[in-house]
Amino acid sequence: MYFHAQEAIKAIILLMFSGFIFMLHHTGEIIKFINLEYTGFSQVASVIFLILFFIQVPRIFISREQAEDHNYCMILGCNHEMDKARKVPLKSVVVYAIIILPLVTGMFLPYKDLGAAEAVKRGICYTPNEQDLSHSDELVKPNKDLQEMLESPDLILDHVNFSTYVSNILTYPEFLKGKSIELEGFILAADSNSHDHPILGRLLVTHCVADAHVIGLLLSSDDNRLGNVNDWVKVNGEINIMEDDGQSLPVIEVKEWKETNQPEAPYIYP
Amino acid sequence: MIRRIEQNLAEITGFMILVSVFYLVVVNERWTIKMILLPDSLLAFNTIFLSILIEAIPFVLIGVFIAGIIQVFVTEEHIKKLIPKNRIMAVGMSCMLGALFPACECGIVPIVRRLVYKGVPIFAGVGFLLTGPLINPIVIASTYMAFGQDLRIALLRMGVGLLIALVISAIISYLFKENQLKKSTSTLELDQSTYRFPLSLRIKAMFIHSVDEFFDVAKYLIIGAMLAAFVQTYVSTNYLVGLGDGIIFSTAMMMGLAYLLSLCSEADAFIGASFRHVFPETSLLGFLIYGPMLDLKNTMMMLSVFKLRFVLVLMIIITLSVFGVLMFVHPWI
């Protein structure tokens, strides 16, 4: 019986990938990385890694007969000579080190929720787009969410309706002017945009947090402290319209605000 | 000592699995390094890096499996029968096939490698590689959603993208005749038909090839994800955007951004849409078409498969074609 070191390393890596992804799901920390709708894919991936591990294990141990038998090399590949088995060449060591790296950082480093600091480096969406403006003269298409928003006296945004409500406010500010609104998010300082107002936003995660970008609304307040908050805030206010280059931009006149803690689920999904 | 370990390895492995399962089930808290104070940006980098990997790995595994299936079950005769003799027909067919095949830009690299290895001409492989991630139902649906349920951009992305892919694979067909694969050092050199082996063995072989393929591809995927995460953490997109003004500059800028961010083609439309108020549609199309064809992550993966010279030439051709075609169609967009 021979022991094949490289195959053993591969087997352990496969098992670790399976375990790592399983652990993320088990502890619920997977939501810090990907949109919940796509967790099924990575659960399947975890199972596939486990299957690959079981396929890999028999390759670790080779009997002498197998080592000398080249009958099956045609189909299984030929890397079972014994002189190769013991040594792990330097090049392979580097390769395995690279592959293990995400497992190590994933297991031992704390995860960070992305917030305002990362958000300013990304695309920020706080203005309506021109195409939508062009057909806003026509009667509004029957839009269930908008109807619901028009009927309710106060708009209260939570993490489920945040993206639809905000995009409706951006698209049809005229209809919603004067409504009172309550929402939660982090503050992006005034210099992050060309309108010189702070933005209250949240990160919208489509697929994984690498594609997160900010969706939010401009704030207007007499209180200068609001623009310098680094933490999450809860804002009560009223929707108003600001004219800029002939474009009407929704802006929230802040009535009251307070700092809050970051919620359990910091991201929102489309 | 080593001999003792070797003799008992099966038991040791079993024990380790048991311990890790026990750990996973009982201990819910992760043991993390909290003593050392690490800068926030490094932790953000790590989070983005891992999220790119976790997102990509299922799709890479699918790609690796399909590659394994091709390796064991598809013979060169099959390929010869399927690919049209006529070069123009072959280019068209490979692009159409790619358009029907839902894959992402990292999952498709191992598949193309196997296909080319089995005798698919390199230009047809490239056509498949380019259209696979760019044109498929999921990408079209997400583009449609991202641009405010506007079909125009989604259709333009498909149409112009297909046109560009056809141009590129036609150019490749004139430049390169051989298969351009790296000389493989691994185990995968099998030339003869595997049909004389029983089915069970062939299925086993398929899995074993999948494992080897995964390790071949994973290192490049990880390096690519790391580079992309680095750019995402430390480079401000606003800064890049600030560099560009005018249609030529802004298109080049958006293409560069698409390359560096290395987003999955299923999600990049949402990022692209957030630049709508800054750039004209042509530049956004540059972002949406160039990204799925070529990015940091998939450059690294192509380097694992093809010769360096071929990858460089291909990158130049893709860049020039996307840019050229976009500039050409700009007046009509």
Side-chain angles (χ1 to χ4, degrees):
Chain A
M1 191 74 109
Y2 290 105
F3 172 67
H4 206 302
Q6 285 212 42
E7 304 297 337
I9 296 173
K10 283 185 184 176
I12 292 170
I13 291 175
L14 289 171
L15 184 65
M16 280 166 70
F17 266 110
S18 174
F20 175 57
I21 299 175
F22 178 84
M23 199 166 72
L24 285 178
H25 284 282
H26 185 63
T27 58
E29 285 180 301
I30 193 80
I31 60 158
K32 294 187 171 163
F33 296 104
I34 55 174
N35 184 341
L36 275 180
E37 270 180 50
Y38 296 97
T39 48
F41 284 115
S42 72
Q43 280 164 351
V44 171
S46 167
V47 175
I48 290 178
F49 274 124
L50 194 63
I51 295 171
L52 291 182
F53 165 75
F54 285 119
I55 286 157
Q56 180 65 22
V57 166
R59 297 173 78 190
I60 303 175
F61 311 103
I62 314 166
S63 66
R64 189 179 296 276
E65 301 86 70
Q66 277 175 319
E68 283 153 11
D69 179 8
H70 285 264
N71 256 338
Y72 295 109
C73 290
M74 206 79 80
I75 181 164
L76 296 179
C78 188
N79 62 341
H80 51 66
E81 282 92 358
M82 285 336 296
D83 52 325
K84 276 193 200 166
R86 266 322 144 73
K87 318 178 252 194
V88 183
L90 184 67
K91 202 180 152 202
S92 306
V93 173
V94 175
V95 166
Y96 295 128
I98 291 172
I99 297 179
I100 289 172
L101 185 77
L103 292 166
V104 173
T105 65
M107 286 186 192
F108 296 121
L109 291 182
Y111 309 135
K112 186 178 184 306
D113 293 316
L114 305 190
E118 290 76 28
V120 291
K121 296 225 165 94
R122 288 152 183 281
I124 299 172
C125 184
Y126 63 95
T127 51
N129 41 75
E130 275 131 52
Q131 277 134 355
D132 285 343
L133 272 185
S134 63
H135 51 70
S136 73
D137 304 335
E138 309 159 19
L139 211 61
V140 187
K141 281 182 250 162
N143 176 332
K144 212 170 90 247
D145 295 307
L146 185 67
Q147 211 60 46
E148 187 188 306
M149 288 167 76
L150 286 169
E151 278 160 18
S152 60
D154 301 308
L155 301 176
I156 296 165
L157 276 60
D158 55 28
H159 73 276
V160 179
N161 62 19
F162 193 95
S163 73
T164 43
Y165 275 26
V166 168
S167 67
N168 269 335
I169 294 170
L170 290 173
T171 319
Y172 311 109
E174 303 87 353
F175 294 90
L176 296 160
K177 188 181 173 183
K179 281 242 177 225
S180 75
I181 184 170
E182 179 185 312
L183 73 172
E184 222 179 329
F186 53 75
I187 295 283
L188 290 172
D191 51 17
S192 66
N193 64 81
S194 51
H195 294 283
D196 220 25
H197 282 283
I199 293 174
L200 183 133
R202 293 187 72 159
L203 281 167
L204 180 73
V205 173
T206 314
H207 212 141
C208 69
V209 297
D211 61 50
H213 66 279
V214 180
I215 169 161
L217 296 166
L218 293 170
L219 297 180
S220 132
S221 166
D222 303 330
D223 193 347
N224 281 332
R225 285 178 304 146
L226 184 60
N228 298 321
V229 181
N230 273 326
D231 216 344
W232 282 64
V233 291
K234 192 171 205 156
V235 165
N236 268 309
E238 195 173 273
I239 299 173
N240 203 349
I241 290 178
M242 182 173 87
E243 287 295 327
D244 181 72
D245 283 344
Q247 205 186 19
S248 46
L249 276 178
V251 62
I252 296 177
E253 302 285 351
V254 178
K255 295 230 173 77
E256 53 184 283
W257 64 278
K258 64 169 196 273
E259 289 191 36
T260 55
N261 289 326
Q262 177 180 311
E264 279 287 297
Y267 306 124
I268 50 171
Y269 309 100
Chain B
M1 178 67 193
I2 290 172
R3 184 161 289 272
R4 288 272 308 263
I5 293 179
E6 279 176 24
Q7 279 165 357
N8 294 318
L9 220 115
E11 284 82 1
I12 294 172
T13 331
F15 180 73
M16 276 170 56
I17 297 172
L18 224 102
V19 167
S20 49
V21 168
F22 184 77
Y23 175 79
L24 288 172
V25 172
V26 175
V27 190
N28 275 333
E29 283 287 299
R30 264 178 346 118
W31 183 84
T32 53
I33 305 174
K34 295 218 175 78
M35 291 77 84
I36 317 166
L37 223 67
L38 292 162
D40 265 4
S41 63
L42 189 72
L43 297 182
F45 164 77
N46 184 39
T47 305
I48 294 174
F49 167 54
L50 290 174
S51 92
I52 295 178
L53 273 185
I54 292 171
E55 179 203 33
I57 274 177
F59 298 100
V60 173
L61 283 177
I62 294 171
V64 154
F65 265 108
I66 294 175
I69 292 170
I70 294 173
Q71 172 68 18
V72 178
F73 291 97
V74 178
T75 62
E76 285 166 43
E77 290 83 70
H78 290 154
I79 302 275
K80 283 211 185 85
K81 254 184 252 164
L82 274 174
I83 296 278
K85 288 276 170 301
N86 184 323
R87 202 186 320 183
I88 298 165
M89 290 281 284
V91 165
M93 198 189 98
S94 69
C95 288
M96 284 304 170
L97 216 62
L100 293 174
F101 191 82
C104 80
E105 69 270 24
C106 23
I108 201 157
V109 176
I111 301 176
V112 169
R113 184 233 289 244
R114 278 297 138 228
L115 285 174
V116 173
Y117 185 79
K118 289 279 176 180
V120 171
I122 183 71
F123 56 88
V126 167
F128 189 67
L129 181 83
L130 295 179
T131 50
L134 176 64
I135 306 169
N136 67 52
I138 308 166
V139 173
I140 294 163
S142 77
T143 314
Y144 172 72
M145 291 302 294
F147 283 86
Q149 320 216 326
D150 183 11
L151 207 55
R152 206 179 115 81
I153 291 274
L155 288 177
L156 278 173
R157 182 181 194 183
M158 263 171 60
V160 180
L162 185 64
L163 177 71
I164 293 171
L166 286 169
V167 169
I168 294 168
S169 43
I171 297 174
I172 291 289
S173 78
Y174 280 99
L175 290 182
F176 294 97
K177 297 283 179 271
E178 278 148 34
N179 72 14
Q180 302 301 322
L181 292 177
K182 253 189 186 171
K183 292 261 180 325
S184 169
T185 50
S186 66
T187 58
L188 306 165
E189 281 133 55
L190 349 154
D191 291 318
Q192 296 182 24
S193 163
T194 53
Y195 270 75
R196 63 191 180 88
F197 295 102
L199 185 68
S200 63
L201 189 67
R202 274 155 60 194
I203 290 174
K204 187 183 164 200
M206 184 205 98
F207 279 107
I208 286 178
H209 286 304
S210 304
V211 171
D212 288 345
E213 193 93 48
F214 174 75
F215 279 91
D216 257 12
V217 168
K219 51 182 187 271
Y220 293 97
L221 173 72
I222 289 167
I223 295 173
M226 216 173 344
L227 292 174
F230 182 84
V231 172
Q232 290 215 6
T233 323
Y234 295 104
V235 180
S236 162
T237 53
N238 289 340
Y239 170 73
L240 288 177
V241 167
L243 292 177
D245 208 12
I247 182 69
I248 291 177
F249 244 139
S250 64
T251 306
M253 221 65 255
M254 287 306 278
M255 282 166 61
L257 196 62
Y259 184 82
L260 292 174
L261 292 182
S262 302
L263 300 164
C264 237
S265 56
E266 276 104 46
D268 61 355
F270 291 86
I271 301 288
S274 69
F275 289 103
R276 230 177 346 177
H277 53 280
V278 196
F279 287 139
E281 276 180 7
T282 310
S283 313
L284 298 182
L285 279 176
F287 181 86
L288 295 174
I289 294 171
Y290 192 64
M293 289 183 171
L294 198 66
D295 63 33
L296 210 52
K297 196 167 58 170
N298 115 322
T299 306
M300 294 308 301
M301 295 182 78
M302 285 204 287
L303 284 174
S304 76
V305 173
F306 298 112
K307 289 177 187 155
L308 175 68
R309 186 170 153 267
F310 174 73
V311 177
L312 290 179
V313 173
L314 182 63
M315 284 171 71
I316 294 169
I317 293 174
I318 293 178
T319 310
L320 292 181
S321 316
V322 173
F323 193 75
V325 171
L326 280 176
M327 287 302 115
F328 182 72
V329 298
H330 175 61
W332 291 282
I333 289 178

